[in-house]
Amino acid sequence: MTVLLLIGTAKGLFLARRDRVGDAWDVSVPQFPMTSVYAVGVDTRRSTPRLLAGVDSSHFGPSVAVSDDLGGCWREPDHAPLAFPADTDTALRRVWAIAPGPAAEPDLVWAGTEPGAVFRSTNGGTTYDLVRGLWEHPHRPRWGEGFGGQAFHTILPHPTDPRRVLVAISTGGVYRTEDGGESWQASNTGIQAVFLPEPDRFPEFGQCVHKVARDAGDPERLYLQNHHGVYRSDDDGRSWTSIADSLPSDFGFPIVAHPRRGGTVWNFPLTADAQRFPVDFKCRVFRSTDAGSTWAPQAYGLPAAPFYPSVLRDAMCVDDGDPAGVYFGTRTGEVYASADEGDSWALAAAHLPDVLCVRAVRL
Amino acid sequence: MVTVLVPGPLRTESGGASRLEVDSGGTLRAVLDEVSRRWPRLGRRLRDERGELRRYVNVYVDGEDCRMLDGQETPVPSGAEVQVLPSVAGGSAPAAAAEVFDGDRVLAENFAPWVLELGLSVAETGPDWATLRLPWSDRLAREGGALSGQALMAAADTATVIAVSAARGGFVPMTTVQLSTTFQRPVLGSDVLVTARLTKLGRTMAFADITMTAKGTLVAHATTVYALL
């Protein structure tokens, strides 16, 4: 079964394909060269998956492009596909997240941006409108920004209830809507903000959430990698409890759930906020198969030598195969792939620019 | 009619054209509005949704950077040429107007109080040299009435800092590694001019030769080596 791997980097989008496990990956030349590709989306609700890419040029600004032939050609509208309305006096800097909506609404696509806002497309991701309910949220003036800028990097539409969406911003935390985006509530109960003084470390909002993933088996269950802290929610994000006990560190950026099997989740721990290296300088992915109660390292086939690069929040993904493929890319331009749910790994691509995001799909 | 020159990376948005003829004149804003109307994808690469020129897009009106003129309100007469150029690199800010080097200010802001009490002033600076005046003071005289060697050494040391700062266009942190002085004639009751010339200015090291004169006569000579931090 052919796998298509989209690799967004600081200097363009690379498409890697392979037809069989064991084959070498065929890695393309960069598309959108000299643009940062922070977000890619794969919309599998169509017969041929639609690819979406958030690209931004440091000279010529951001845009969103769409391909309906698996990256052969890309198109974007004449007028900006995603722009802030005039009354906001705000300019888009970057698209950080592209999330196709639930199966029931095949043309609904969400996007998260910097500065922190969420946009909604009802034409399959070609053009987008600002979600005013969140933009006008009274908390917005008090949202901060992380080291990478202020962005809604996570958008998780509920798979069966189109009215429910969970989003996350760094820094601001998790917000939920249950009415399709009209109104939003902060939803950070139990999530710590270690950068605030005691006793204010569990505020209503303001947390630096790095990434959230939704469980495949139970859509009410979510996993969250925080700026120090790994959490699980069993009530669609209303409350969170720590699942970091058996991890070597509770710091890191990505967290990815299995595409079908509930309770299985991966992350890539870093030592600490102030030590952004893999724990013990070892290249290891950690997997839990019991919803975070216990975690075990997976490093077979990964470099054994001291390893220093980090893995960014969107630079880890799974495909939809069985067994599931798992992929991650580093800031030093390597991409590693596992075809057996992380049990063994091999280098898929090397010497690329910084890897900002990866997404994979079986064709 | 105004001609708009499109840079290579953006010609995919202008149908491959490198020169666009635009009817609208008046101001640069009107020209760019017309560009956006006729070539909307080109327009949005140049300006964001607020209509502001993107930070690393430079636009020249008849060879003058519009940011040095009136921005988008810059008048664009008929027949003018509007050239769009990506700045050298995303990340490099537009060059600020060169600031005039102010040696006395460097002196006032970066030295210990006791050095300031010497009363040094910057007489002149050049691309790789600086001349400081050490005014005569009885307080600087040693037994016998001549100027203390310690004061001359401090003046030579200070002059080197000013010369390096002048060469670099402003104060940079540095530290003395070596200072060697010969005292050749006594100074009695007169100011001393201290001229430091850089014999080499590297990335991390600076070497200087300092002459100290009173009434046109060499009174002391020094060499210094500095580490630039």
Side-chain angles (χ1 to χ4, degrees):
Chain A
M1 186 74 87
T2 300
V3 175
L4 176 65
L5 178 61
L6 290 81
I7 308 165
T9 77
K11 292 187 189 175
L13 174 68
F14 294 80
L15 300 178
R17 291 174 76 118
R18 77 169 169 190
D19 294 328
R20 279 184 302 277
V21 174
D23 285 1
W25 290 84
D26 181 13
V27 183
S28 75
V29 296
Q31 311 203 8
F32 313 105
M34 297 307 289
T35 64
S36 295
V37 181
Y38 271 75
V40 289
V42 180
D43 189 345
T44 54
R45 297 170 298 177
R46 299 160 183 268
S47 53
T48 300
R50 171 173 283 184
L51 309 183
L52 303 107
V55 301
D56 66 270
S57 156
S58 53
H59 285 98
F60 307 125
S63 193
V64 178
V66 169
S67 173
D68 285 325
D69 62 358
L70 302 175
C73 67
W74 295 83
R75 60 190 161 75
E76 52 174 300
D78 279 349
H79 292 278
L82 195 160
F84 280 88
D87 65 293
T88 61
D89 192 30
T90 301
L92 176 69
R93 280 199 284 278
R94 175 170 290 159
V95 174
W96 278 75
I98 297 173
E105 296 195 39
D107 288 320
L108 178 63
V109 176
W110 299 88
T113 68
E114 172 188 354
V118 169
F119 286 73
R120 191 168 180 271
S121 168
T122 53
N123 56 11
T126 306
T127 60
Y128 298 78
D129 293 311
L130 177 67
V131 174
R132 294 247 178 206
L134 188 55
W135 181 253
E136 285 157 11
H137 198 287
H139 291 170
R140 187 174 68 83
R142 288 192 282 156
W143 291 339
E145 60 182 64
F147 187 63
Q150 184 206 63
F152 273 100
H153 48 68
T154 296
I155 302 178
L156 295 173
H158 193 281
T160 56
D161 181 353
R163 293 165 302 168
R164 277 199 269 168
V165 183
L166 179 145
V167 298
I169 180 173
S170 174
T171 59
V174 174
Y175 284 78
R176 296 173 65 253
T177 180
E178 296 185 353
D179 56 14
E182 293 293 313
S183 65
W184 298 80
Q185 293 77 42
S187 201
N188 299 290
T189 305
I191 304 174
Q192 191 170 200
V194 294
F195 46 86
L196 295 179
E198 295 282 12
D200 302 320
R201 290 196 162 176
F202 290 90
E204 181 192 3
F205 67 98
Q207 284 84 348
C208 186
V209 172
H210 287 175
K211 199 69 196 172
V212 192
R214 195 184 290 277
D215 188 83
D218 176 2
E220 308 302 306
R221 177 171 273 182
L222 297 147
Y223 307 96
L224 185 150
Q225 173 68 62
N226 194 47
H227 190 99
H228 280 301
V230 183
Y231 298 93
R232 190 181 80 214
S233 169
D234 292 329
D235 53 11
D236 194 25
R238 289 177 184 82
S239 64
W240 301 88
T241 52
S242 174
I243 52 169
D245 282 356
S246 80
L247 279 166
S249 162
D250 65 358
F251 194 83
F253 287 92
I255 192 155
V256 171
H258 193 283
R260 284 178 317 283
R261 194 164 60 248
T264 295
V265 57
W266 289 268
N267 77 347
F268 192 93
L270 303 180
T271 304
D273 174 19
Q275 285 289 326
R276 296 186 184 195
F277 301 107
V279 177
D280 299 330
F281 307 126
K282 288 180 180 166
C283 183
R284 290 180 300 178
V285 171
F286 278 72
R287 180 179 68 179
S288 172
T289 55
D290 54 12
S293 299
T294 60
W295 295 83
Q298 295 186 302
Y300 185 82
L302 293 176
F307 193 84
Y308 303 105
S310 51
V311 176
L312 295 178
R313 73 184 86 230
D314 278 298
M316 179 182 265
C317 72
V318 289
D319 65 25
D320 47 352
D322 185 14
V326 191
Y327 309 85
F328 70 92
T330 68
R331 297 207 68 180
T332 46
E334 293 97 34
V335 179
Y336 295 94
S338 167
D340 54 12
E341 313 213 336
D343 287 337
S344 68
W345 295 87
L347 189 65
H351 317 308
L352 303 181
D354 315 32
V355 177
L356 305 174
C357 62
V358 291
R359 291 294 182 271
V361 61
R362 299 230 171 184
L363 301 177
Chain B
M1 191 72 82
V2 171
T3 304
V4 178
L5 303 181
V6 182
L10 287 181
R11 288 179 198 156
T12 51
E13 316 298 13
S14 60
S18 59
R19 302 169 68 88
L20 306 174
E21 301 294 332
V22 176
D23 265 337
S24 176
T27 61
L28 180 58
R29 188 182 302 280
V31 171
L32 294 178
D33 285 349
E34 180 64 8
V35 167
S36 297
R37 196 184 65 75
R38 291 175 58 189
W39 298 276
R41 283 166 49 137
L42 175 59
R44 67 183 165 93
R45 309 292 190 215
L46 308 181
R47 298 187 296 181
D48 67 24
E49 59 262 56
R50 292 172 303 181
E52 291 187 11
L53 208 54
R54 295 197 184 277
R55 184 174 169 195
Y56 299 118
V57 168
N58 294 337
V59 179
Y60 297 81
V61 177
D62 282 333
E64 293 283 328
D65 184 346
C66 76
R67 288 193 175 88
M68 298 296 162
L69 302 170
D70 246 349
Q72 289 194 64
E73 307 317 319
T74 301
V76 180
S78 184
E81 195 174 77
V82 171
Q83 183 168 17
V84 175
L85 283 178
S87 69
V88 279
S92 77
E99 270 188 54
V100 177
F101 177 73
D102 184 347
D104 279 321
R105 190 166 159 195
V106 173
L107 200 55
E109 290 176 355
N110 296 289
F111 290 89
W114 75 267
V115 175
L116 298 179
E117 283 172 19
L118 295 172
L120 288 162
S121 61
V122 178
E124 210 177 344
T125 58
D128 60 354
W129 58 272
T131 298
L132 274 56
R133 176 178 293 273
L134 174 64
W136 173 262
S137 163
D138 290 337
R139 293 181 59 225
L140 299 180
R142 59 174 168 76
E143 190 186 57
L147 183 66
S148 304
Q150 291 93 329
L152 287 167
M153 290 165 72
D157 201 27
T158 306
T160 309
V161 175
I162 301 300
V164 172
S165 299
R168 286 285 186 92
F171 178 75
V172 290
M174 64 188 100
T175 187
T176 314
V177 176
Q178 183 258 2
L179 168 64
S180 173
T181 314
T182 55
F183 303 97
Q184 303 185 15
R185 295 182 180 84
V187 179
L188 292 160
S190 61
D191 294 359
V192 177
L193 289 176
V194 183
T195 298
R197 287 184 187 282
L198 302 179
T199 53
K200 176 180 158 97
L201 175 62
R203 198 167 50 81
T204 59
M205 301 288 282
F207 300 81
D209 187 279
I210 301 108
T211 54
M212 288 165 267
T213 59
K215 296 176 183 161
T217 305
L218 187 78
V219 295
H221 177 256
T223 57
T224 54
V225 180
Y226 265 71
L228 308 181
L229 306 176

